[in-house]
Amino acid sequence: MSIDQISEKQIKEYIDGILSGDRRILAKSITLIESTLKAHQEAARKILDRILPFTGKAVRLGITGLPGAGKSTFIESFGKMLTARGHRVAVLAVDPSSPRTGGSIMADKTRMEKLAVDPNAFIRPSASGGTLGGVARKTRETMLICEAAGFDWIIVETVGVGQSEVTVATMVDFFLVLMIAGAGDELQGIKKGVLELADALAINKADGDNIERAKAARQQYEIAFHLINPPTRIWTPPVLTCSALTMEGLDRILDVILTHRRKMTEHGELERKRKAQNLEWFWSLVREGLELWFFQDEEVKKNLMSLIKDIEEGTVSPTSAAEHILSRLRHISS
Amino acid sequence: MAEHKDMNKWRELAIKELKGKPLDTIFWQTPEGITVKPIYTWEDLEGLDFINTLSGMAPYLRGPTATMYTNQPWTIRQYAGFATAKESNEFYRKSLAAGQTGLSVAFDLATHRGYDSDHPRVAGDVGKAGVAIDSVEDMKILFDQIPLDKVSVSMTMNGAVLPILAGYIVAAEEQGVKQEQLSGTIQNDILKEFLTRNTYIYPPRPSMRIVSDVISYCSKHMPKYNTVSISGYHIMEAGANSVIEVAFTLADGKEYIRAALDAGLKIDDFAPRLSFFFGVGMNFFMEIAKLRAARYLWHKIVSEFNPQNPRSTVLRTHVQTSGWSLTEQDPYNNIIRTTIEALAAVLGGTQSLHTNSFDEAISLPTPFSARIARNTQLIIREESQVCHVVDPLGGSYYVEALTGAIIREAQKIMDEIESLGGMARAIETGMPKMLIEESAARRQARIDQGKDIIVGVNKYQIEEEVPVQVLEVPSTVREEQIARLKELKAKRDNEAVKRALEKITEVAEKGGNLLEVTIEAIRLRATVGEVSEAMEKVFGRYVAPQKLITGVYASEYGENGVIENIRQRTEAFKNKTGRRPRILITKMGQDGHDRGMKVVASAYADLGFDVDLSPMFQTPEEAAKMAVENDVHVVGVSSLAAGHKVLVPMLIEELKKMGGEDIIVIVGGIIPPPDYEFLYAHGVKGIYGPGTPITESATQVLKLLEEKYIP
Ligand code: B12
Ligand SMILES: Nc1nc2c(ncn2[C@@H]2O[C@H](COP(=O)(O)OP(=O)(O)O)[C@@H](O)[C@H]2O)c(=O)[nH]1
Ligand SMILES: [Mg+2]
């Protein structure tokens, strides 16, 4: 891929490739989306605009849980179950770990060994590093491209330890939280905010000598979970058990997701949810863009330092300092 | 602890001799974290409860038998196998005639992983890294004219232990040798397969059941046969230091005891038939102390289970010198290394020994290199006069203190494993693997920057390497095996075979002894692959998840311009092209050597690459799919088991088919020098063999990328 401007002709090739389900071009389009170069991002935007009519038909499933809960294994088994039923599954991983000097290691596929080689599956691990906002944009756009390429299930995996799970929850139709029994008290440090967003909670690794513990945990969590996430008119978020290893309970989870979808569709909720998500996305892009634009301004950068010092020394009040720096906005815009 | 009365005086003298250097500089921190002092005294023996014990008696630290080599020297047991059963059989018979005293069979990787030679997943593996065995017909040829009631045979087989052990039993039966006459060893140590050796087939739990089925069958029918060879060798070769090796190996042993007890056996029924297998590397005194410490600790462990037979608590071991310590560069140096290691194994009191060939880092041994390796042992035995005294280093202040230190440190790790619920559970947590890999990454970083000196590799290099002979197994071996399989299937009673296989599936599902029913099927000429598949139906086929450490290589390397420079270049690449250089590191075929792949992956990430790691055992098509989907710039193939000439061209072909012709292909691992041209001609852009510093290969890969993407 050249680093120069990407021509209209190339863009058309990308679009045709995506729409015809060409795996190589799909992969390269995602690279464009992920690129830090302006020219690539611009090309990606153009591509997205034109494939938009072909998106939106997939089931969008988000999965979170603490490291080791079994997310990747779950996706392996669940994904295989879906492809066996004739679906085409795309898997995306969101992992905005703090940027470090080094690159990242992406070993996701070693845990999705069978799905990785399935011709009806497409798994794209993304390098970590970068801001949450950046990762969120990339994942959303990748999701759309995969839909246009004919994938009818999109599964997004995210580690449940930071902010990313909230972001993922706002881009999917169904948000599943995976837990394990007995790995600590109550709801295992999963933040309340995440549980509020969950459409279901599943206790994984309910197999072998762990079955009883998983069942007990299910009852225990149910009460706590419903306090945090009370039933609505349409949906009562269930607490389930499953085993990603033996596949026990996975068909039940599929049922739950499909029932949820049916009910949401019947009540017009799915459409509403997606519209709201789109607006939310729009607003977050605007906010992010504003911030970026503002803080990149040389004058702002310069003033900021001295203002902070003044506030610390107590020579200027925070209110007037803010007023002062924001007044710069008027100059930038004009 | 008291100090020698003249120690202060000694210190004064030492400081004077050091001419201003601090005394610290002559204390040595071993990789095990043990501090070795410049001098040891009688006082260092204080508190050690094994001083002044005797061989043949508890705690057996000084030797499992009273007389040791004064009465009977160790068994010279060279591990070998290649190509077809016929060729390996010839090799064995010649070796026995030339002074070898026991056999040790190396199977090819297809067999190890339970595939017949005609399986599509073994296109590059048949006969390459060991002998190809598909059925008892092959087994009979393998042992042709070798009397199995007289020659003890050791078989390194773990994953496909059932069809192979059954094949051995039936081959003996058809030679007229009864089961109770068979002496020898089957490795059957599945736990370390999950940890380091990677020739498992089924998931951990059913695999453990197979181990206890074997123990239980043999304890009834084969009283002279060693049913498990609990192996530290592979753990060491994957990167572990001596303390970790001892701790993990003995913890594995304890787990097998528990499994056998759970299966209803009594400790004395099987414990005397558990044997061990350790590695011995270049750290001379440490390795001697290690073998002594292991015997002490095993005695202690088994005693907790209240055996009545004292032989239950005795550790008997085979030793192999370290292959990892041997280099591709200036390879005749390896003869010297192996001699030192072999001597350590003997002074440590091993029961049998394999010495590596000097071409270890190039290919399987040639008849010439194999002879020198065997002679190394013969010369120690016949000429060095070390066999006249039992445990000759017993009483050495240093060796005794070191033995005590290993006992202490290994006990700590074993306690930690116990607290996790034993080794099987510990392996599930990933802890043991991480310890080994961290140790391997540190070692690599120290060698790459010349902190640990390897003669001929990072110091005293020679200008031009002398070419050595290479043993190449031709790809026609696979065709031969496939033809033999066809013939076998045409001749046998296929209905009877089908029923016998169904029986195996049933026993796998519902219980019963799997070895017993496997022997039935093998008699009827069922193949290794068919038997394995009959169980796979119930157990499934397993691929261990990979977790990788990061940061260790860079931190061990320390602040140093080399790393910084590469990081700046990966960063610059990103700024110019929109992303970091992205490399898929993959292993194709049944090659399970993952030490190199892991240190390279981990270090490349430290250097600023984005690294995709593929699952093991990929077909070229699967690897290509992953490369194309992840849209990597480079695929790096790590190939150590001689599959490269088949698999790498296939990969390049597949990449083309999938529109990934722009992806650069490089290869690392054991690539014999004569194969370089072949690979370049097929489109490979870089080859990095053993001893290549990771910083060096990374620099070259970056150069390829910069030329292509930032012209
Ligand atoms: C360690 C070792 C083992 C360990 C492996 C532990 C593990 N988890 O990896 C154990 C003891 C388990 C083992 C077992 C076997 N081994 Co072994 N093993 C070796 C040994 C001694 C060293 C390999 C090693 O790890 N070196 C250290 C690492 C860091 O080096 P490296 O992998 O070469 O990587 C470096 C470069 O090659 C390069 N590189 C490698 N890969 C890549 C990838 C990329 C992208 C890049 C850029 C660079 C790169 O960079 C690295 C840093 O310099 C070699 C001989 C030797 N001295 O090389 C034999 C050797 C590879 N083994 C051999 C054999 C036959 C086996 C067995 C198949 C025997 C049998 N029949 O049962 C078994 C089965 C293993 C299996 N499942 O495949 C043969 C292969 C013969 C051949 N190719 O013709 C060898 C060559 C020994 C010999 N001469 O007989 N083995
Ligand atoms: N027993 C059991 N183990 C599981 C199950 N799901 C995952 N695991 C194991 O748990 C570990 C972590 O799984 P992984 O999928 O990597 O978790 P993630 O970090 O949440 O993606 C692995 O060793 C899996 O084999 C399950 O359902 N049962
Ligand atoms: Mg995961």
Side-chain angles (χ1 to χ4, degrees), chain A residues 220-283:
Chain A
Q220 200 191 336
Y221 291 162
E222 201 150 43
I223 303 161
F225 184 47
H226 285 159
L227 283 175
I228 297 171
N229 195 345
T232 64
R233 184 169 52 94
I234 318 175
W235 189 244
T236 306
V239 180
L240 308 148
T241 61
C242 69
S243 166
L245 220 55
T246 65
M247 305 200 56
E248 192 74 33
L250 295 194
D251 46 354
R252 169 94 183 96
I253 291 178
L254 176 59
D255 265 358
V256 165
I257 295 170
L258 294 177
T259 309
H260 174 262
R261 190 172 193 76
R262 189 172 38 82
K263 287 192 175 162
M264 293 279 284
T265 315
E266 274 166 12
H267 290 80
E269 277 297 318
L270 188 65
E271 217 191 314
R272 219 168 301 154
K273 185 172 185 169
R274 284 191 170 181
K275 271 188 189 148
Q277 286 178 343
N278 267 341
L279 278 181
E280 216 172 296
W281 181 14
F282 164 73
W283 280 120

Coordinates of all heavy atoms in Angstrom, one line a residue, chain A residues 220-283:
Chain A
Q220 N -26.7 -16.7 43.4 CA -26.2 -15.6 44.2 C -26.1 -14.3 43.4 O -26.5 -13.3 43.8 CB -24.8 -16.0 44.6 CG -24.3 -15.3 45.8 CD -22.8 -15.6 46.0 OE1 -22.3 -16.7 45.5 NE2 -22.1 -14.8 46.7
Y221 N -25.6 -14.5 42.1 CA -25.4 -13.3 41.3 C -26.8 -12.7 40.9 O -26.9 -11.5 40.7 CB -24.6 -13.6 40.0 CG -23.2 -13.9 40.3 CD1 -22.4 -14.6 39.4 CD2 -22.6 -13.6 41.5 CE1 -21.1 -14.9 39.6 CE2 -21.2 -13.9 41.8 CZ -20.5 -14.5 40.8 OH -19.2 -14.8 41.0
E222 N -27.7 -13.6 40.7 CA -29.0 -13.2 40.1 C -29.6 -12.0 40.9 O -30.0 -11.0 40.4 CB -30.0 -14.4 40.1 CG -31.1 -14.2 39.2 CD -31.6 -15.5 38.6 OE1 -31.7 -16.5 39.4 OE2 -31.8 -15.7 37.4
I223 N -29.6 -12.2 42.3 CA -30.2 -11.2 43.1 C -29.4 -9.9 43.0 O -30.0 -8.8 42.7 CB -30.1 -11.7 44.6 CG1 -30.9 -13.0 44.7 CG2 -30.8 -10.7 45.5 CD1 -30.5 -13.8 45.9
A224 N -28.1 -10.0 43.1 CA -27.3 -8.8 43.1 C -27.5 -8.1 41.7 O -27.6 -6.8 41.6 CB -25.8 -9.1 43.3
F225 N -27.5 -8.9 40.7 CA -27.5 -8.4 39.3 C -28.8 -7.6 39.1 O -28.9 -6.5 38.5 CB -27.4 -9.5 38.3 CG -27.3 -9.1 36.9 CD1 -26.5 -8.1 36.5 CD2 -28.0 -9.8 35.9 CE1 -26.4 -7.7 35.1 CE2 -28.0 -9.5 34.6 CZ -27.2 -8.4 34.2
H226 N -29.9 -8.2 39.5 CA -31.2 -7.6 39.3 C -31.5 -6.3 40.1 O -32.3 -5.5 39.7 CB -32.4 -8.6 39.5 CG -32.4 -9.5 38.3 ND1 -33.0 -10.8 38.4 CD2 -31.9 -9.5 37.1 CE1 -32.9 -11.4 37.2 NE2 -32.2 -10.6 36.4
L227 N -30.7 -6.2 41.2 CA -30.8 -4.9 41.9 C -30.1 -3.8 41.1 O -30.6 -2.7 41.0 CB -30.0 -5.0 43.2 CG -30.8 -5.7 44.3 CD1 -30.0 -5.9 45.6 CD2 -32.1 -5.0 44.6
I228 N -29.0 -4.2 40.4 CA -28.2 -3.2 39.7 C -28.9 -2.9 38.3 O -29.0 -1.8 37.8 CB -26.8 -3.7 39.4 CG1 -26.1 -3.8 40.7 CG2 -26.0 -2.8 38.5 CD1 -24.7 -4.5 40.6
N229 N -29.5 -4.0 37.8 CA -30.0 -4.0 36.4 C -31.4 -4.5 36.3 O -31.6 -5.6 35.9 CB -29.0 -4.8 35.5 CG -29.2 -4.5 34.0 OD1 -30.2 -3.9 33.6 ND2 -28.3 -5.0 33.2
P230 N -32.4 -3.7 36.8 CA -33.7 -4.2 37.0 C -34.4 -4.5 35.6 O -34.0 -3.9 34.6 CB -34.4 -3.1 37.7 CG -33.6 -1.9 37.5 CD -32.2 -2.3 37.2
P231 N -35.3 -5.4 35.6 CA -36.0 -5.8 34.4 C -36.8 -4.6 33.8 O -37.2 -3.7 34.6 CB -37.1 -6.8 34.8 CG -36.6 -7.3 36.1 CD -35.8 -6.2 36.8
T232 N -36.9 -4.5 32.5 CA -37.7 -3.5 31.9 C -38.9 -4.1 31.3 O -39.1 -5.3 31.4 CB -36.9 -2.8 30.7 OG1 -36.7 -3.7 29.7 CG2 -35.6 -2.2 31.2
R233 N -39.7 -3.3 30.6 CA -40.9 -3.7 30.0 C -40.6 -4.9 29.0 O -41.4 -5.9 29.0 CB -41.5 -2.5 29.3 CG -42.8 -2.7 28.6 CD -43.3 -1.3 28.2 NE -42.3 -0.6 27.3 CZ -42.3 -0.6 26.0 NH1 -43.2 -1.3 25.3 NH2 -41.4 0.0 25.3
I234 N -39.5 -4.8 28.3 CA -39.3 -5.7 27.3 C -38.3 -6.8 27.7 O -38.4 -8.0 27.3 CB -38.6 -5.1 26.0 CG1 -39.3 -3.8 25.7 CG2 -38.6 -6.0 24.8 CD1 -38.6 -3.0 24.6
W235 N -37.4 -6.5 28.6 CA -36.3 -7.4 28.8 C -35.9 -7.6 30.2 O -35.7 -6.6 31.0 CB -35.0 -7.0 28.0 CG -33.9 -8.0 28.0 CD1 -32.7 -7.8 28.5 CD2 -34.0 -9.3 27.4 NE1 -31.9 -8.9 28.3 CE2 -32.7 -9.9 27.6 CE3 -34.9 -10.0 26.7 CZ2 -32.4 -11.1 27.2 CZ3 -34.6 -11.3 26.3 CH2 -33.4 -11.8 26.6
T236 N -35.8 -8.8 30.7 CA -35.2 -9.1 32.0 C -33.9 -9.8 31.8 O -33.8 -10.9 31.3 CB -36.2 -10.1 32.7 OG1 -37.5 -9.6 32.7 CG2 -35.7 -10.4 34.2
P237 N -32.8 -9.0 32.1 CA -31.5 -9.6 31.8 C -31.2 -10.9 32.6 O -31.2 -10.8 33.9 CB -30.5 -8.5 32.3 CG -31.4 -7.3 32.3 CD -32.7 -7.7 32.7
P238 N -31.1 -12.0 32.0 CA -30.9 -13.3 32.7 C -29.5 -13.5 33.1 O -28.5 -13.0 32.6 CB -31.3 -14.3 31.6 CG -30.9 -13.7 30.3 CD -31.1 -12.2 30.5
V239 N -29.4 -14.4 34.2 CA -28.1 -14.9 34.6 C -28.0 -16.4 34.2 O -28.9 -17.1 34.6 CB -27.8 -14.7 36.1 CG1 -26.5 -15.2 36.5 CG2 -28.0 -13.2 36.5
L240 N -27.0 -16.7 33.4 CA -27.0 -18.1 32.9 C -25.7 -18.8 33.3 O -24.7 -18.1 33.7 CB -27.0 -18.0 31.4 CG -28.2 -17.2 30.8 CD1 -27.8 -16.6 29.5 CD2 -29.4 -18.1 30.6
T241 N -25.6 -20.1 33.1 CA -24.3 -20.8 33.2 C -24.0 -21.4 31.9 O -24.9 -21.7 31.1 CB -24.3 -21.9 34.3 OG1 -25.3 -22.9 33.9 CG2 -24.7 -21.4 35.6
C242 N -22.7 -21.6 31.6 CA -22.3 -22.2 30.4 C -20.9 -22.8 30.5 O -20.2 -22.4 31.5 CB -22.3 -21.2 29.2 SG -21.1 -20.0 29.3
S243 N -20.5 -23.5 29.6 CA -19.1 -24.0 29.5 C -18.6 -23.8 28.1 O -19.1 -24.4 27.1 CB -18.9 -25.4 29.9 OG -17.6 -25.9 29.5
A244 N -17.6 -22.9 28.0 CA -17.1 -22.6 26.6 C -16.3 -23.8 26.2 O -16.1 -24.0 25.0 CB -16.1 -21.4 26.7
L245 N -15.9 -24.6 27.1 CA -15.1 -25.8 26.8 C -15.9 -27.0 26.3 O -15.6 -27.5 25.2 CB -14.3 -26.2 28.0 CG -12.9 -26.7 27.9 CD1 -12.1 -25.6 27.2 CD2 -12.3 -27.0 29.2
T246 N -17.0 -27.3 27.0 CA -17.8 -28.4 26.6 C -19.0 -28.0 25.7 O -19.7 -28.8 25.1 CB -18.4 -29.1 27.8 OG1 -19.3 -28.2 28.4 CG2 -17.4 -29.5 28.8
M247 N -19.2 -26.7 25.5 CA -20.2 -26.0 24.7 C -21.6 -26.2 25.4 O -22.6 -25.8 24.8 CB -20.3 -26.6 23.3 CG -18.9 -26.5 22.6 SD -18.9 -26.6 20.9 CE -20.0 -25.3 20.3
E248 N -21.6 -26.7 26.6 CA -22.9 -26.8 27.4 C -23.4 -25.4 27.6 O -22.7 -24.5 28.1 CB -22.5 -27.5 28.7 CG -23.7 -28.0 29.5 CD -24.4 -29.2 28.9 OE1 -23.7 -30.0 28.3 OE2 -25.6 -29.3 29.0
G249 N -24.7 -25.2 27.3 CA -25.3 -23.9 27.6 C -25.1 -22.9 26.5 O -25.7 -21.8 26.6
L250 N -24.4 -23.1 25.5 CA -24.1 -22.1 24.5 C -25.4 -21.9 23.6 O -25.7 -20.8 23.2 CB -22.9 -22.5 23.6 CG -21.5 -22.5 24.3 CD1 -20.4 -22.5 23.3 CD2 -21.4 -21.3 25.2
D251 N -26.1 -23.0 23.3 CA -27.3 -22.9 22.5 C -28.3 -22.1 23.2 O -29.1 -21.3 22.6 CB -27.8 -24.2 22.0 CG -27.9 -25.2 23.2 OD1 -27.4 -24.9 24.3 OD2 -28.4 -26.3 23.0
R252 N -28.3 -22.2 24.5 CA -29.3 -21.4 25.4 C -28.9 -19.9 25.3 O -29.8 -19.1 25.1 CB -29.1 -21.9 26.8 CG -29.8 -21.1 27.9 CD -31.2 -21.6 28.2 NE -31.9 -20.8 29.1 CZ -32.7 -19.7 28.8 NH1 -33.0 -19.5 27.6 NH2 -33.2 -19.0 29.8
I253 N -27.6 -19.6 25.3 CA -27.2 -18.2 25.2 C -27.6 -17.7 23.8 O -28.1 -16.6 23.7 CB -25.7 -18.1 25.4 CG1 -25.5 -18.4 26.9 CG2 -25.2 -16.7 25.1 CD1 -24.0 -18.3 27.3
L254 N -27.4 -18.5 22.8 CA -27.9 -18.1 21.4 C -29.4 -17.8 21.4 O -29.8 -16.7 20.9 CB -27.5 -19.1 20.4 CG -28.0 -18.9 19.0 CD1 -27.4 -17.6 18.5 CD2 -27.6 -20.0 18.1
D255 N -30.1 -18.7 22.0 CA -31.6 -18.5 22.2 C -31.9 -17.1 22.8 O -32.7 -16.4 22.3 CB -32.2 -19.5 23.1 CG -32.7 -20.7 22.3 OD1 -32.6 -20.6 21.0 OD2 -33.2 -21.7 22.9
V256 N -31.2 -16.9 23.9 CA -31.4 -15.6 24.7 C -31.2 -14.4 23.8 O -32.0 -13.5 23.7 CB -30.6 -15.6 25.9 CG1 -30.5 -14.2 26.5 CG2 -31.1 -16.6 27.0
I257 N -30.1 -14.5 23.0 CA -29.7 -13.3 22.2 C -30.7 -13.1 21.1 O -31.2 -12.0 20.8 CB -28.3 -13.6 21.6 CG1 -27.2 -13.6 22.7 CG2 -28.0 -12.5 20.5 CD1 -25.9 -14.0 22.2
L258 N -31.2 -14.3 20.5 CA -32.2 -14.1 19.4 C -33.5 -13.7 20.0 O -34.2 -12.9 19.3 CB -32.3 -15.5 18.7 CG -31.0 -15.8 17.9 CD1 -31.2 -17.2 17.2 CD2 -30.6 -14.8 16.9
T259 N -33.9 -14.1 21.1 CA -35.2 -13.7 21.7 C -35.1 -12.2 22.0 O -36.1 -11.5 21.7 CB -35.4 -14.5 23.1 OG1 -35.3 -15.8 22.8 CG2 -36.8 -14.1 23.6
H260 N -34.0 -11.8 22.6 CA -33.8 -10.4 22.9 C -34.0 -9.6 21.6 O -34.7 -8.6 21.5 CB -32.4 -10.2 23.5 CG -32.0 -8.8 23.7 ND1 -31.2 -8.1 22.8 CD2 -32.2 -7.9 24.7 CE1 -31.0 -6.9 23.2 NE2 -31.6 -6.7 24.4
R261 N -33.4 -10.1 20.5 CA -33.4 -9.4 19.2 C -34.9 -9.3 18.7 O -35.3 -8.3 18.3 CB -32.6 -10.2 18.3 CG -32.3 -9.4 17.0 CD -31.3 -10.1 16.1 NE -30.9 -9.3 15.1 CZ -30.0 -8.3 15.2 NH1 -29.5 -8.0 16.4 NH2 -29.7 -7.5 14.2
R262 N -35.5 -10.4 18.8 CA -36.9 -10.4 18.3 C -37.8 -9.4 19.1 O -38.5 -8.6 18.5 CB -37.5 -11.9 18.5 CG -38.9 -12.1 17.8 CD -39.3 -13.5 17.8 NE -39.0 -14.2 19.1 CZ -39.7 -14.2 20.2 NH1 -40.8 -13.5 20.3 NH2 -39.3 -14.8 21.3
K263 N -37.7 -9.5 20.4 CA -38.5 -8.5 21.3 C -38.1 -7.1 21.0 O -39.0 -6.2 20.8 CB -38.2 -8.8 22.7 CG -38.9 -10.1 23.2 CD -38.9 -10.2 24.7 CE -39.7 -11.4 25.1 NZ -39.4 -11.8 26.5
M264 N -36.8 -6.8 20.9 CA -36.4 -5.5 20.6 C -36.9 -5.0 19.2 O -37.4 -3.9 19.1 CB -34.8 -5.4 20.6 CG -34.2 -5.7 21.9 SD -34.2 -4.2 23.0 CE -32.9 -3.2 22.2
T265 N -36.9 -5.9 18.3 CA -37.3 -5.5 16.9 C -38.8 -5.3 16.9 O -39.3 -4.3 16.4 CB -37.0 -6.6 15.9 OG1 -35.7 -7.1 16.2 CG2 -37.1 -6.2 14.5
E266 N -39.6 -6.2 17.6 CA -41.0 -6.0 17.7 C -41.4 -4.7 18.2 O -42.4 -4.0 17.8 CB -41.6 -7.1 18.5 CG -41.9 -8.4 17.8 CD -42.2 -9.6 18.8 OE1 -42.4 -9.3 20.0 OE2 -42.1 -10.7 18.3
H267 N -40.7 -4.3 19.2 CA -41.1 -3.0 19.9 C -40.4 -1.8 19.3 O -40.4 -0.7 19.8 CB -40.7 -3.1 21.4 CG -41.6 -4.0 22.2 ND1 -41.5 -5.4 22.2 CD2 -42.7 -3.8 22.9 CE1 -42.4 -5.9 22.9 NE2 -43.2 -5.0 23.4
G268 N -39.7 -2.1 18.2 CA -39.0 -0.9 17.5 C -37.8 -0.5 18.3 O -37.2 0.6 18.0
E269 N -37.4 -1.3 19.3 CA -36.3 -0.8 20.2 C -35.0 -1.0 19.5 O -34.1 -0.2 19.8 CB -36.3 -1.6 21.5 CG -37.3 -1.2 22.6 CD -36.9 0.3 23.1 OE1 -35.7 0.5 23.2 OE2 -37.8 1.1 23.2
L270 N -34.8 -2.0 18.7 CA -33.5 -2.2 18.1 C -33.2 -1.0 17.2 O -32.0 -0.5 17.3 CB -33.5 -3.5 17.2 CG -32.1 -3.9 16.7 CD1 -31.2 -4.2 17.9 CD2 -32.2 -5.0 15.7
E271 N -34.1 -0.6 16.4 CA -33.9 0.6 15.5 C -33.5 1.8 16.4 O -32.6 2.5 16.1 CB -35.1 0.8 14.7 CG -34.8 1.3 13.3 CD -36.1 1.7 12.6 OE1 -37.1 1.0 12.7 OE2 -36.0 2.8 12.0
R272 N -34.3 2.0 17.4 CA -34.1 3.1 18.3 C -32.7 3.1 19.0 O -32.0 4.1 19.0 CB -35.2 3.1 19.4 CG -35.7 4.5 19.7 CD -37.0 4.5 20.6 NE -38.0 3.8 19.9 CZ -39.0 3.2 20.6 NH1 -39.1 3.1 21.9 NH2 -40.0 2.5 19.9
K273 N -32.4 1.9 19.4 CA -31.1 1.7 20.1 C -29.9 2.1 19.1 O -29.0 2.8 19.5 CB -30.9 0.3 20.5 CG -29.6 0.0 21.3 CD -29.7 -1.4 21.9 CE -28.5 -1.7 22.8 NZ -28.6 -2.9 23.6
R274 N -30.0 1.6 17.9 CA -29.0 1.8 16.9 C -28.9 3.3 16.6 O -27.8 3.9 16.4 CB -29.1 1.0 15.7 CG -28.7 -0.5 16.0 CD -28.6 -1.2 14.7 NE -28.0 -2.5 14.9 CZ -27.8 -3.4 13.9 NH1 -28.2 -3.1 12.7 NH2 -27.2 -4.5 14.2
K275 N -30.1 3.9 16.4 CA -30.1 5.4 16.1 C -29.4 6.1 17.2 O -28.6 7.0 17.0 CB -31.5 5.8 15.9 CG -32.0 5.7 14.5 CD -33.3 6.3 14.2 CE -33.9 6.0 12.9 NZ -35.3 5.9 12.9
A276 N -29.8 5.8 18.4 CA -29.2 6.5 19.6 C -27.7 6.3 19.7 O -27.0 7.2 19.9 CB -29.9 6.0 20.9
Q277 N -27.3 5.0 19.4 CA -25.9 4.8 19.4 C -25.2 5.6 18.3 O -24.1 6.2 18.6 CB -25.6 3.3 19.1 CG -25.9 2.4 20.2 CD -25.7 0.9 19.9 OE1 -25.6 0.6 18.7 NE2 -25.6 0.1 20.9
N278 N -25.8 5.8 17.2 CA -25.2 6.6 16.1 C -25.1 8.0 16.5 O -24.0 8.6 16.3 CB -26.1 6.5 14.8 CG -25.6 5.4 13.9 OD1 -24.5 4.9 14.0 ND2 -26.5 5.0 13.0
L279 N -26.1 8.5 17.2 CA -26.1 9.9 17.6 C -25.0 10.1 18.7 O -24.2 11.0 18.7 CB -27.4 10.3 18.2 CG -28.4 10.8 17.1 CD1 -29.7 11.2 17.8 CD2 -27.8 11.9 16.3
E280 N -24.9 9.1 19.6 CA -23.9 9.1 20.6 C -22.5 9.1 20.1 O -21.6 9.9 20.5 CB -24.1 7.9 21.5 CG -23.9 8.1 23.0 CD -24.2 6.9 23.8 OE1 -25.4 6.5 23.7 OE2 -23.3 6.3 24.3
W281 N -22.4 8.3 19.0 CA -21.1 8.2 18.4 C -20.7 9.6 17.7 O -19.6 10.1 17.9 CB -21.2 7.1 17.3 CG -19.9 6.9 16.6 CD1 -18.6 7.3 16.9 CD2 -19.7 6.2 15.4 NE1 -17.7 6.9 16.0 CE2 -18.4 6.2 15.0 CE3 -20.6 5.4 14.5 CZ2 -17.9 5.6 13.8 CZ3 -20.1 4.8 13.4 CH2 -18.7 4.9 13.1
F282 N -21.7 10.1 17.1 CA -21.5 11.4 16.5 C -21.1 12.4 17.5 O -20.1 13.1 17.3 CB -22.9 11.9 15.8 CG -22.9 13.3 15.5 CD1 -22.1 13.8 14.4 CD2 -23.7 14.2 16.2 CE1 -22.2 15.2 14.1 CE2 -23.7 15.6 15.9 CZ -23.0 16.0 14.8
W283 N -21.8 12.5 18.6 CA -21.4 13.5 19.7 C -20.0 13.2 20.2 O -19.3 14.1 20.4 CB -22.4 13.5 20.8 CG -23.7 14.3 20.4 CD1 -24.9 13.8 20.4 CD2 -23.7 15.6 20.1 NE1 -25.8 14.8 20.0 CE2 -25.1 15.9 19.8 CE3 -22.8 16.7 19.9 CZ2 -25.5 17.2 19.4 CZ3 -23.2 17.9 19.6 CH2 -24.6 18.2 19.3

